[in-house]
Each structure stands twice: as structure tokens, then as C-alpha cells.
Amino acid sequence: MYTEVPAPDLLCAGRFDETPGFTVYRENGARNWMVSLTVANRADYWADGRHVTIEPGDLVVIAPGAVQHYRAAPDGPPWGYWWAHFQPRTAWFSWLRLPELAPGFSLTRLGTGDRLHEAVGAFERVHRNATKATVHAPEGRVVETPRSRTGIFATELALNAIEEILLLAAVVHEQRRAQLLDPRIQQVLDRIVADPARPVTVAELARDVSLSASRLSHLFRSEVGDSIVNVVLAVRLRKAASLLEFSDRAVGRIAADAGFSSPYYFSRQFHARYGLSPSAYRARVRSHQPV
């Protein structure tokens, strides 16, 4: 049973063909979002005690913290699927409000026609540009494959492709429900993104939108699928990563510019999210030139 969880802000993607019965179980889910697309045979997913059979053309989106429990069909050929772990751009949260079969678990049936081909093409672009991309080698080993580009532009290209995947799902559901966020939550997101380094508390954000702190926290998680604290942290770390790539500022200065009062706390959070220290991240990015 595979239980490893990727670093939250490391954009990971892969294309696997799993043997019958292969199972993943992550009781606490992950600190990022996961999207997967089945292209061959079947898989079984369990969400909040509910069993769902996934077939070719089925797109699954799992929110942070939701249980990830799935298994390749116990018989027949290998289960073929694309997958990606990502942190969403803030503009995506309204698209991520897809109809849920269980808390944090949504299923979109794209079918086996043009939408499936479009989604596969988008996953291929994610895979080419993801920070970490993997495939199954013929002998069954999982190997890392080189990305075609490096640096923030590669990451943005990968995110553009994930955006296309999510929009394909949103189009399928657009006649079933409105996709707009609650305007109060949109106001909170706009404030967070406008100035990530500005000190902010949940109580202050709640006053801005005339809600109690507890009500805002509940509504935010319901609308966005993640907590305010995690979203603020992700936005700040994304800003820090950009500064590491495109400026020569010292790490301590970047920590302050991104909204962290302690360089040590910043370095610890950055390593937890990206799998590298800030200095190592900068060195790795600058050792490769984009193609």
C-alpha cells in the first residue's frame, strides 16, 4: 500500500499503469489538491464510506485533508491513469467548487470523446513542466522523468494546463450549479493576494466582511476547500519562491518581504512545502536554464 505524500508546494505529476489490486490509502489526505484522470481499465475509490467505480474518462478531484483511498481493479489489465498534486491559483477556487459525492471528493465524467482527449493533452503538458514528474518503467519501477523546462515559467506552464483540466470539469457541471464564490470569501481572497506580506488575522478578515471569526473560518473552508491559514501560507511561499528565482536578495530579506517575521520559521515552512531549503531551491533553479 502506497502512503507517501508529496511536499505540499512541489508540483508533482505522473502517468501510471498500476497492476490489479494496487492500493493507496492516505488517512489524512494531503496538504495540497489532487486531480486524477483514468484512461484505461477501472479503479475503486472510497469517499466517506461510499464506494465509487472509476472508469476511462472519469476525472477525480480530492481536496486537502480529505481521505485518499483508491485501488486498481482487482482483475483485468492494468489501471492506467494520470495524476497531479498542486496548490491552486486563487482564481481557481470557484472552479474547484465542483459537485461533491463526499466531503472533499468530486467526480466529473468527461466521457471518452473530445473532452477526454483534451484532458489527456493537458495532463501531458503538466507532466512535461511539473517540478517532479514520474512514470512507471516497463519493469515496474517508478522513475523520475526530466522536465522540458525549469524555473517559474515551467511551473506556470504546468499550472496553465491544470487550469485547463479544471475548466473542462467546470464546463461539464456549469448547467447544474453556479460556480461563483460567496462574495465575502472572494473579498477575503482578493485581500490576501493583493498584499501577501501584510500581517493579517482571521479576526481582522472577519470584521472586514461582517462575520464572526468562527463563521468566516467555516464558510471559507466550505467555499475554498482549505483553511485561511493554509491559503495565506501558500500565497506567501509562492511569492518567496519567485523572489528566490528572480532576485539576488538574501534569504532573510526575502522572508520579510514575503510576510515572515522569522527567517527560521520561513526556512522551515519553505522546506516543508517545497522539499528543499530556500538556498538549495535557488541553487537548483539557477543551475538549469529554461529550454
Side-chain angles (χ1 to χ4, degrees):
M1 183 177 292
Y2 176 82
T3 57
E4 180 184 353
V5 179
D9 264 297
L10 194 64
L11 201 161
C12 303
R15 167 65 168 84
F16 287 173
D17 289 282
E18 300 293 4
T19 56
F22 168 84
T23 303
V24 167
Y25 181 69
R26 300 184 179 117
E27 183 178 7
N28 298 315
R31 292 171 62 193
N32 50 23
W33 291 77
M34 178 183 176
V35 59
S36 65
L37 175 68
T38 293
V39 294
N41 202 18
R42 309 181 322 279
D44 297 304
Y45 276 72
W46 288 268
D48 197 29
R50 180 174 181 178
H51 169 251
V52 183
T53 299
I54 304 299
E55 300 181 338
D58 287 351
L59 184 77
V60 170
V61 178
I62 302 179
V67 175
Q68 296 180 8
H69 187 191
Y70 48 92
R71 178 190 67 184
D75 53 17
W79 170 40
Y81 69 105
W82 288 94
W83 58 268
H85 285 266
F86 64 95
Q87 290 288 357
R89 292 168 172 161
T90 52
W92 297 358
F93 286 119
S94 61
W95 309 337
L96 286 164
R97 294 181 66 243
L98 300 167
E100 294 183 330
L101 294 180
F105 180 96
S106 70
L107 168 64
T108 302
R109 299 195 185 276
L110 298 177
T112 57
D114 290 342
R115 284 199 180 112
L116 175 58
H117 295 304
E118 291 179 59
V120 168
F123 269 103
E124 289 173 344
R125 293 195 297 280
V126 176
H127 188 259
R128 286 199 299 270
N129 295 292
T131 308
K132 183 178 181 182
T134 58
V135 297
H136 273 318
E139 59 272 28
R141 293 182 297 108
V142 177
V143 297
E144 188 166 344
T145 57
R147 65 196 305 200
S148 61
R149 301 174 181 86
T150 60
I152 194 171
F153 297 117
T155 300
E156 292 303 313
L157 285 169
L159 288 172
N160 283 348
I162 290 178
E163 182 171 302
E164 181 180 344
I165 293 165
L166 297 177
L167 284 171
L168 285 170
V171 166
V172 171
H173 296 291
E174 67 180 342
Q175 301 301 322
R176 303 181 189 177
R177 62 178 289 182
Q179 298 293 316
L180 295 178
L181 289 173
D182 184 293
R184 295 165 294 184
I185 301 306
Q186 187 64 61
Q187 182 179 333
V188 169
L189 284 170
D190 290 343
R191 175 170 172 180
I192 292 169
V193 174
D195 189 2
R198 180 180 175 182
V200 66
T201 65
V202 174
E204 181 182 356
L205 293 171
R207 286 194 298 271
D208 286 348
V209 293
S210 302
L211 293 173
S212 68
S214 60
R215 174 57 182 155
L216 173 62
S217 296
H218 177 80
L219 182 61
F220 191 95
R221 181 174 285 279
S222 174
E223 291 279 305
V224 171
D226 205 351
S227 71
I228 295 174
V229 171
N230 281 344
V231 170
V232 170
L233 182 60
V235 171
R236 287 177 174 174
L237 289 172
R238 197 168 297 144
K239 178 177 180 178
S242 179
L243 291 172
L244 287 166
E245 294 184 25
F246 292 104
S247 81
D248 292 320
R249 301 176 199 176
V251 170
R253 170 72 184 281
I254 287 175
D257 290 345
F260 294 91
S261 58
S262 164
Y264 172 74
Y265 176 74
F266 162 65
S267 294
R268 187 156 55 90
Q269 290 297 323
F270 192 93
H271 190 282
R273 290 265 175 161
Y274 285 92
L276 293 169
S277 70
S279 297
Y281 179 88
R282 170 179 271 167
R284 188 191 67 180
V285 168
R286 296 192 177 186
S287 67
H288 302 86
Q289 293 298 319
V291 175

